[in-house]
Amino acid sequence: MDFQQLTELVAQAEFHKFLKLVPVSSDEESGTVVFELPYDDAYSIFPAAGNYHGGVIASLVDVAGAMACSLVKGHPTPTVNLRIDFMQTPRRTDLVATGKVCRIGRSIGVADVEIAGKDGTTYALGRGTFSTVSPEPKLFEKA
């Protein structure tokens, strides 16, 4: 899957549109994807404080890991398990999610994800496992 195909896959998912994810780059050979998430008050627990809600961070880890595995497999790879370590709370900053495949098998893939600020500050580290089994065609059909 090339960057254009990845961008199209991301654009098809309503949740990705809801998050306002911006695909930045991908490298199929290394199994790496990069997304940006511009700050929005809607992502915070309390807008006056500007702290991101942990669910937004977890969603970024999930999407970046799944898309890294999808990049290598050439089709969507649903989440099986997710683990996240929150290092510190991002406040009113754009985030960069970098997902990198650790292993791809016939049924399971593993990807590591870093959530950072554009200044390089690491806010969260995650690892996910994703189903790499080829999806049924109806996954792409419209309801």
Side-chain angles (χ1 to χ4, degrees):
M1 178 182 300
D2 62 22
F3 181 69
Q4 180 62 37
Q5 292 167 317
L6 176 74
T7 300
E8 290 169 4
L9 179 60
V10 170
Q12 290 177 29
E14 291 300 320
F15 186 69
H16 301 164
K17 291 181 217 177
F18 168 77
L19 281 178
K20 303 174 194 160
L21 284 175
V22 179
V24 174
S25 65
S26 67
D27 179 7
E28 184 178 358
E29 189 173 315
S30 68
T32 303
V33 296
V34 179
F35 293 95
E36 286 185 0
L37 184 71
Y39 176 76
D40 187 314
D41 278 341
Y43 302 144
S44 63
I45 300 169
F46 304 107
N51 296 1
Y52 272 83
H53 186 285
V56 174
I57 305 298
S59 294
L60 278 176
V61 170
D62 185 25
V63 171
M67 291 298 106
C69 289
S70 297
L71 177 73
V72 174
K73 288 301 286 187
H75 58 76
T77 55
T79 307
V80 173
N81 191 29
L82 202 59
R83 180 194 187 307
I84 303 161
D85 291 319
F86 295 91
M87 311 306 278
Q88 58 182 310
T89 303
R91 291 179 181 88
R92 297 191 185 283
T93 186
D94 297 345
L95 297 178
V96 177
T98 304
K100 181 167 177 37
V101 170
C102 299
R103 179 187 183 286
I104 288 285
R106 288 186 315 205
S107 59
I108 295 290
V110 178
D112 284 341
V113 179
E114 178 186 35
I115 306 299
K118 288 186 177 180
D119 66 356
T121 302
T122 299
Y123 294 109
L125 298 170
R127 172 169 279 183
T129 54
F130 305 90
S131 173
T132 58
V133 175
S134 189
E136 294 182 27
K138 63 182 168 188
L139 178 68
F140 296 109
E141 293 176 10
K142 293 187 178 187

